[in-house]
Amino acid sequence: MGDTMSLAIDPITATPLPRGASIGYRRGVVRRLRSLVWLTAILGCLQLFGALLPRGIDLTATRSQSLAPQTVAVLRRLEQAVEITVVAPTRPRTVGEQAFAHALGPFRDLVERCRRESPRIVWRSLDPEIDLAARRLAEEFHDLSVPGVVITTEIDGVRRHETLHVRDLAEIGLTRGRQPILEFFGEQSLTAALSRLIGGVESMQVYCLTGHGELAIEDDAVESRQGMGLMASRLRANGCRVESLDLGIASRIPADADLVIVAGALGEIPSVEVEKLRLYFSQGGRGLILMESAHSDHKSDNDESLSGLLSEHGVTAGHDRLVTAGFTGEIELASPVMPAQSDHALVRSLPLTPLVLHDARSVRTRVGVEPLSTESIPLLVSFAAPRAWSETDFSSLEATFDPDSDLPGPVAVACAVERHQGDLREPVLVVVGDAEFVCNRNLTAPSGRNGANFVFAALHWLHGRKQSFADIPATRREPYTLTGTAAELQRSVWGTAFFVCAALLVGVATTAAQRRA
Amino acid sequence: MFTTVTTIWSREMRGFFTRPGGWLILLAATVPAAVAAGWMATLVARGGLALRADEDPVSQFLGPNIFLMGTLLWLAPLLTMNAIADDRRRGTWELLVTSSASAMEIVVGKFLAAWTLISVCLIPWPLFLSALRVWNGKSREMAGWIPWFDGPGISFDAGLFWGGVIGLLVIAGTIAALGTLTSAIARRPLFAGFATATVLALLLATSLLPRVLDQWRVPADRYDWIQAVAVWGHLAEFSRGIIPVSRVIGHLSASVILVWSAGQLCRRADG
């Protein structure tokens, strides 16, 4: 027992030291221990030093490698994994896909910076041509159009999502010197989307006006032209509560209404009901008005009733129909329309894919002398003349452009109306000169997705869900400005190389001479 | 300790600069830098729009481009293989360890010398970039007869320059520590050089792996761990004009551990 007690233990290997271990051996052990302590201390100091410093020190003049404080704040609030999925073809073919591919570069950098800040961000990229998961996503989220970005998370067992498209991310233009320039504002959009996701999605209460021949939300028949049950289902799937509203019965628009949709009223809307709508809009209510076409068959009875209301908001719906000449010269009433050239938030959020409207009427900004508290912004426009124009002659199907009465293209067929209160702008209305594009029959057509996307974009804007963190500055990417040509720059490089190499050769010669000496 | 380390460092530096071979190595390291600078000048003059930060020609120049990686792949083994293994081969190691200096001090001195030499050999890279910034290649006459630089060339963000330089220094440190360790393990310099080159090549392959996985559309979070050892990927981060503090701490910690391991190995091997 006494022998065991006298045995020294090697503190590193934990084995007993040999009896009568030499002083040198013990010193060696102490030295090794001291070395380990030193190593641990240095590593500890390094870690401590690292913990005291910020994650990254941005040396760029524009702080282009740093996230905005607003983004950092939102990322720190993330408690659940957020998946950012890009759905885009690997090889872009169309102009829209090319534009998206351009915007995707800086967006990818942005997401990487976000991932460094928050490990809860997950990045995924899917090709709709080869990945089944991409198709599933497109089916699950109706407001996702390809190419696009879908941001998903699950909070309390509920899957939430936001979608971003090329107009939410960047704009590509040309400088005066015809150089490409990319203005990237994806950080604003991504931060706003994340903020909305984690801030909780407010359920939107949507009332669809009924009683005047409007598209019925109860009608689910796939081939129906009088029903918009499928659109209502999609809205419900995206967190909206959709109900019919008969203003002939209701004393006023319910207080819980976030939005009122007037989808293709065929008959006259009585002035009493229009008054209820006017009151609702004047009290901050919001609406999506899809005008029925001004075709002679329908007599356009709703014209007079709604036109006054729209006129008060600076919008005029024309008594005309948009016609487009096909490539072979025949006149078509189904006209493709595209987002107008504008910096407006709603215009930017519209997908670039053309939306096909049938027999649409023009929706223009009203020109008048009295000042208005609202401003109307064109959203969708037709092709330019002579390919498209708005025809006022309903008597014949053979439409020809009459410069005296017809409006030459590009014809605006949709407008957004904003109310100005000082610097504050708030959405009031979205008016479209066609309602048929949301009917069940058109929604189930191959291009029906574009119509649904437009409605979703309009609803998001009207409900304020597409608010952006506009104080996050956009970043600009442009080619370097050069004062010399490529050959002159090469001269700069090789001139420097000549002097460096000459100096080094002198070094070689000098040392060689010294060695020889 | 610092005096001993400084003495060892000075001895190594003197050994490099008093040999024609050292200057030839510097010369050989300058050529790829000049070629890469010429290539970058052409890219910049082409005027394309760099959509990603990594696609910026200036970032690429001080980032993981083929010329820089290729240079480091041969330069680092060449400069570090002799650190300890050559002393052992020539029998001067015994002289060193029997002096008053401890094995750890010697190893630290040799590591610092290797780090300095690698950094010195990389000086042409920032030098050419600076030249392109201050001179556009045209000349004008000053005072009517003295040829002088016409004006600045490429007006790039100075942050890219400093980020790239700091990144090169940090990564040169890790590579120097790695070379010192292999030199401590190996008995022959050639083997040490070969081992260092092999490890660097493996690190290069590891750095390329995330790109391959990205092409295969593997979600990024599944290969985040690879990024931790993807040295060239770290250099790309620096060359964007940012100092990722966690990477700097990681590289410094790795260098400390490698040098400590080399010191322990030397102490154990040489009693």
Side-chain angles (χ1 to χ4, degrees):
Chain A
M1 182 73 181
D3 287 346
T4 316
M5 289 297 287
S6 67
L7 278 179
I9 302 293
D10 185 330
I12 294 174
T13 60
T15 53
L17 285 172
R19 190 183 294 274
S22 68
I23 294 170
Y25 186 87
R26 284 170 191 273
R27 276 186 186 158
V29 169
V30 171
R31 208 167 51 208
R32 278 151 67 192
L33 263 178
R34 202 191 304 150
S35 173
L36 256 180
V37 170
W38 267 107
L39 176 73
T40 316
I42 292 171
L43 292 178
C45 285
L46 279 173
Q47 293 302 321
L48 188 67
F49 184 61
L52 291 174
L53 289 173
R55 281 171 198 267
I57 301 166
D58 192 350
L59 301 174
T60 56
T62 53
R63 299 286 175 267
S64 60
Q65 295 300 310
S66 302
L67 291 170
Q70 298 93 319
T71 311
V72 174
V74 169
L75 288 171
R76 285 185 184 157
R77 279 165 53 204
L78 292 182
E79 289 176 2
Q80 291 79 16
V82 174
E83 193 170 275
I84 299 175
T85 310
V86 170
V87 185
T90 315
R91 289 181 183 172
R93 293 187 187 94
T94 63
V95 177
E97 288 168 358
Q98 295 274 5
F100 185 81
H102 280 93
L104 194 56
F107 185 70
R108 182 82 198 264
D109 283 345
L110 170 70
V111 174
E112 276 180 19
R113 289 199 292 278
C114 291
R115 290 186 66 230
R116 277 199 287 274
E117 189 63 40
S118 169
R120 296 186 197 283
I121 298 282
V122 179
W123 167 270
R124 204 157 62 122
S125 174
L126 297 173
D127 186 339
E129 290 169 6
I130 52 173
D131 291 315
L132 272 175
R135 288 177 202 171
R136 271 189 228 116
L137 273 179
E139 282 166 15
E140 187 181 355
F141 305 120
H142 298 295
D143 52 344
L144 170 68
S145 63
V146 177
V149 181
V150 60
I151 307 163
T152 53
T153 190
E154 200 168 299
I155 298 174
D156 301 330
V158 180
R159 193 158 147 90
R160 296 175 179 176
H161 83 282
E162 286 286 335
T163 52
L164 299 176
H165 296 99
V166 66
R167 289 199 165 205
D168 299 320
L169 303 178
E171 262 181 15
I172 300 162
L174 290 172
T175 60
R176 280 185 184 173
R178 310 295 296 166
Q179 293 275 14
I181 188 168
L182 185 132
E183 189 157 352
F184 180 71
F185 36 81
E187 188 171 358
Q188 298 176 5
S189 309
L190 180 65
T191 308
L194 289 174
S195 176
R196 288 192 297 268
L197 274 180
I198 59 174
V201 178
E202 294 169 43
S203 178
M204 200 193 307
Q205 177 66 55
V206 178
Y207 285 102
C208 295
L209 208 64
T210 185
H212 322 94
E214 291 93 344
L215 298 176
I217 58 168
E218 296 80 14
D219 184 351
D220 287 332
V222 174
E223 288 296 313
S224 172
R225 285 176 182 271
Q226 282 78 42
M228 53 176 277
L230 296 181
M231 189 68 233
S233 305
R234 291 186 183 184
L235 290 174
R236 287 187 187 109
N238 280 274
C240 298
R241 297 190 308 274
V242 187
E243 289 175 44
S244 294
L245 175 68
D246 189 344
L247 281 179
I249 301 168
S251 57
R252 61 187 180 91
I253 297 196
D256 63 344
D258 292 308
L259 187 83
V260 171
I261 298 180
V262 183
L266 291 171
E268 185 184 2
I269 302 177
S271 57
V272 182
E273 295 182 28
V274 172
E275 199 53 44
K276 289 173 187 172
L277 281 172
R278 180 177 287 116
L279 183 68
Y280 170 70
F281 293 136
S282 66
Q283 289 175 341
R286 290 155 194 206
L288 171 63
I289 297 179
L290 310 176
M291 308 287 290
E292 183 51 39
S293 56
H295 199 273
S296 55
D297 291 350
H298 297 144
K299 308 293 182 195
S300 303
D301 290 336
N302 62 335
D303 265 2
E304 295 307 315
S305 51
L306 269 181
S307 61
L309 181 64
L310 294 180
S311 180
E312 286 168 24
H313 290 93
V315 176
T316 304
H319 190 72
D320 50 17
R321 58 177 176 174
L322 177 67
V323 290
T324 303
F327 287 106
T328 51
E330 80 280 16
I331 302 301
E332 292 170 359
L333 296 178
S335 303
V337 291
M338 277 151 306
Q341 288 288 327
S342 169
D343 273 344
H344 190 263
L346 177 53
V347 180
R348 274 182 170 172
S349 69
L350 295 176
L352 288 171
T353 359
L355 173 65
V356 178
L357 298 184
H358 301 262
D359 221 2
R361 59 202 297 182
S362 64
V363 175
R364 287 167 287 156
T365 302
R366 186 173 67 86
V367 182
V369 286
E370 74 273 30
L372 292 172
S373 61
T374 54
E375 182 193 358
S376 67
I377 302 105
L379 292 178
L380 297 171
V381 290
S382 71
F383 287 124
R387 201 164 160 211
W389 70 91
S390 74
E391 175 69 48
T392 48
D393 180 11
F394 291 90
S395 59
S396 160
L397 280 176
E398 295 296 316
T400 47
F401 178 64
D402 178 2
D404 295 331
S405 56
D406 296 342
L407 191 68
V411 179
V413 287
C415 273
V417 179
E418 274 184 341
R419 184 180 289 117
H420 291 195
Q421 285 179 338
D423 288 340
L424 191 72
R425 289 167 171 232
E426 58 175 31
V428 182
L429 285 173
V430 170
V431 185
V432 188
D434 181 34
E436 210 177 324
F437 73 99
V438 291
C439 76
N440 295 347
R441 186 188 170 94
N442 285 334
L443 222 57
T444 48
S447 60
R449 174 175 285 276
N450 301 336
N453 286 342
F454 175 83
V455 172
F456 276 112
L459 258 60
H460 285 319
W461 178 72
L462 285 166
H463 192 49
R465 291 187 66 213
K466 280 282 179 191
Q467 88 275 15
S468 62
F469 281 61
D471 48 342
I472 298 176
T475 53
R476 181 174 279 210
R477 290 185 186 220
E478 51 192 317
Y480 286 107
T481 313
L482 298 179
T483 53
T485 61
E488 285 162 345
L489 289 174
Q490 293 278 357
R491 197 184 303 155
S492 168
V493 171
W494 290 107
T496 313
F498 174 77
F499 283 109
V500 173
C501 291
L504 294 174
L505 282 172
V506 169
V508 174
T510 313
T511 48
Q514 279 172 351
R515 290 215 148 207
R516 222 175 288 128
Chain B
M1 178 179 178
F2 291 109
T3 318
T4 319
V5 170
T6 315
T7 310
I8 300 287
W9 179 83
S10 309
R11 175 181 171 269
E12 292 291 316
M13 297 302 287
R14 219 177 300 122
F16 182 83
F17 285 106
T18 51
R19 277 188 299 212
W23 292 92
L24 281 173
I25 289 174
L26 273 172
L27 191 63
T30 305
V31 175
V35 175
W39 156 76
M40 184 199 66
T42 310
L43 276 183
V44 171
R46 204 176 283 170
L49 188 62
L51 296 172
R52 295 202 62 184
D54 289 347
E55 292 169 6
D56 186 295
V58 177
S59 287
Q60 283 183 345
F61 181 70
L62 287 182
N65 68 72
I66 189 80
F67 297 100
L68 184 57
M69 288 190 293
T71 304
L72 276 169
L73 271 178
W74 65 262
L75 186 70
L78 201 65
L79 292 176
T80 57
M81 67 182 189
N82 291 332
I84 296 166
D86 192 47
D87 274 328
R88 285 213 182 100
R89 184 180 64 83
R90 290 191 294 164
T92 49
W93 181 253
E94 284 73 18
L95 283 176
L96 278 173
V97 289
T98 50
S99 67
S100 58
S102 72
M104 186 58 83
E105 287 168 339
I106 299 166
V107 168
V108 170
K110 284 183 174 284
F111 155 71
L112 288 177
W115 188 357
T116 313
L117 287 177
I118 294 175
S119 305
V120 166
C121 289
L122 293 176
I123 283 176
W125 291 83
L127 183 72
F128 286 125
L129 198 53
S130 308
L132 278 169
R133 188 180 165 87
V134 298
W135 186 31
N136 57 13
K138 293 186 231 175
S139 56
R140 61 185 166 86
E141 287 180 349
M142 203 168 64
W145 60 280
I146 308 167
W148 197 247
F149 306 115
D150 179 60
I154 306 169
S155 55
F156 56 85
D157 192 323
L160 303 184
F161 176 85
W162 292 114
V165 168
I166 293 168
L168 280 177
L169 284 174
V170 169
I171 282 158
T174 311
I175 291 174
L178 179 72
T180 310
L181 178 65
T182 54
S183 190
I185 296 169
R187 290 281 158 186
R188 290 175 183 279
L190 201 63
F191 178 75
F194 181 72
T196 308
T198 308
V199 176
L200 286 179
L202 282 174
L203 284 174
L204 174 61
T206 315
S207 304
L208 292 175
L209 201 57
R211 289 188 177 215
V212 176
L213 292 172
D214 187 46
Q215 286 294 314
W216 291 346
R217 295 178 178 273
V218 177
D221 56 310
R222 293 196 192 156
Y223 54 82
D224 271 346
W225 60 275
I226 301 177
Q227 306 275 19
V229 287
V231 174
W232 304 113
H234 301 171
L235 186 58
E237 288 177 29
F238 283 100
S239 64
R240 287 176 208 150
I242 193 163
I243 303 175
V245 173
S246 60
R247 300 284 188 224
V248 176
I249 299 296
H251 277 276
L252 290 179
S253 303
S255 301
V256 167
I257 292 169
L258 289 169
V259 172
W260 182 83
S261 308
Q264 293 300 314
L265 271 170
C266 289
R267 191 178 282 163
R268 188 160 289 194
D270 304 312

